[in-house]
Amino acid sequence: MTSRREPRLADAAEIAAEQGLTPARISGLYTEAAENAAGVPFPEPVDKRGRARLWDHAEVAEWFADRPQARLLQHTPPARDPQDLLNAAEASRFLGYKNPNQVTTFVRDHPGYFPAPDVVEEMGTAERPYRRQLWRVQTLLDWMATRPGRGKHSGSKRAAPPLPEVPVDGDPDELLGASQAAALLGYKSVNSFSSSLSQGNLPLLTTTDDVSEQGRRRWTRRRILEQAAQRSRGR
């Protein structure tokens, strides 16, 4: 007797990272009942928890395997000096996104997915300061060549970096970033953590305790552990 395979579940953030899309686009493919080249609609979620959805990873991978290459994977960026610096809107257009705020969204909502800026300029006035983030063309080209999802078509695939080991009994007031928060909360990746946070599943972390000079959100270990305890009780 053959035992039934237990599916490996994946959320929109994990699928998006592998396919070079955004979590919102993955959700859109489902709600639009989008079809692949074989006329098969996007798979139904295996598990629905409020706004969060989990899919059978193998089913989704098979669906994408029979889908024409995405427009972004066919995009050829314009010729530029590799050392040219581009702001977020310019970088979005250079990478082929129609939305000029796409890079800003990546940096704000999906820490670790997009490269950190090469240059951060302090702008504005003392009363109304702000930072301008700039990326070198070469940095963007490197990301295009290795971003999750692109390797699927070229025969190579870059694994997501492992989450760090974070002690539970450290300084409760120490400020931790998204990757450390993801590890303490039991997520498999930063993207999964960011997706859950954006969907409102981590209410205690909606407000940050600090923001780094690079615009990275940070929370105290105490607050992250409180959220972990609340999350465990809700399961």
Side-chain angles (χ1 to χ4, degrees):
M1 181 176 178
T2 303
S3 60
R4 184 181 178 183
R5 175 184 66 86
E6 287 294 329
R8 182 171 84 77
L9 303 184
D11 63 10
E14 182 178 352
I15 297 168
E18 290 182 354
Q19 302 300 330
L21 301 172
T22 64
R25 182 58 187 142
I26 297 300
S27 297
L29 291 172
Y30 163 63
T31 56
E32 297 163 11
E35 295 183 350
N36 61 12
V40 177
F42 194 80
E44 285 284 328
V46 175
D47 191 358
K48 296 181 182 179
R49 302 174 185 176
R51 294 177 58 191
R53 300 185 180 100
L54 298 173
W55 283 270
D56 183 325
H57 182 271
E59 285 187 2
V60 174
E62 183 178 355
W63 188 88
F64 273 104
D66 202 8
R67 181 178 185 240
Q69 277 197 354
R71 177 181 58 82
L72 287 178
L73 296 180
Q74 300 172 340
H75 171 71
T76 299
R80 296 287 301 260
D81 186 320
Q83 297 306 310
D84 281 353
L85 289 168
L86 307 181
N87 62 28
E90 292 168 336
S92 297
R93 290 191 291 269
F94 179 82
L95 293 169
Y97 292 105
K98 293 182 178 179
N99 181 2
N101 296 319
Q102 188 61 63
V103 166
T104 299
T105 300
F106 281 151
V107 173
R108 182 188 66 232
D109 297 339
H110 307 288
Y113 177 68
F114 197 74
D118 295 296
V119 175
V120 178
E121 296 179 342
E122 300 294 337
M123 309 287 287
T125 63
E127 293 76 19
R128 301 185 64 180
Y130 70 91
R131 294 186 176 95
R132 183 170 69 166
Q133 298 178 327
L134 302 168
W135 288 262
R136 288 192 174 87
V137 166
Q138 188 61 57
T139 299
L140 301 176
L141 292 173
D142 291 343
W143 181 77
M144 284 188 69
T146 58
R147 69 184 174 202
R150 193 173 185 92
K152 179 169 67 70
H153 300 282
S154 61
S156 63
K157 187 173 183 179
R158 183 181 63 174
L163 294 175
E165 294 186 8
V166 185
V168 176
D169 56 355
D171 181 356
D173 293 319
E174 181 183 2
L175 292 168
L176 305 177
S179 62
Q180 296 163 307
L184 285 176
L185 289 165
Y187 287 98
K188 294 182 179 180
S189 69
V190 172
N191 281 332
S192 296
F193 162 75
S194 298
S195 176
S196 189
L197 181 63
S198 65
Q199 292 172 13
N201 298 327
L202 304 173
L204 298 184
L205 303 184
T206 301
T207 303
T208 58
D209 294 301
D210 186 48
V211 178
S212 70
E213 291 185 358
Q214 290 75 34
R216 305 295 189 186
R217 296 169 292 182
R218 299 193 290 183
W219 303 265
T220 62
R221 181 182 273 104
R222 176 185 292 106
R223 186 151 28 152
I224 295 170
L225 292 177
E226 288 175 355
Q227 181 64 82
Q230 185 185 92
R231 186 166 178 256
S232 296
R233 291 193 296 269
R235 287 176 175 172

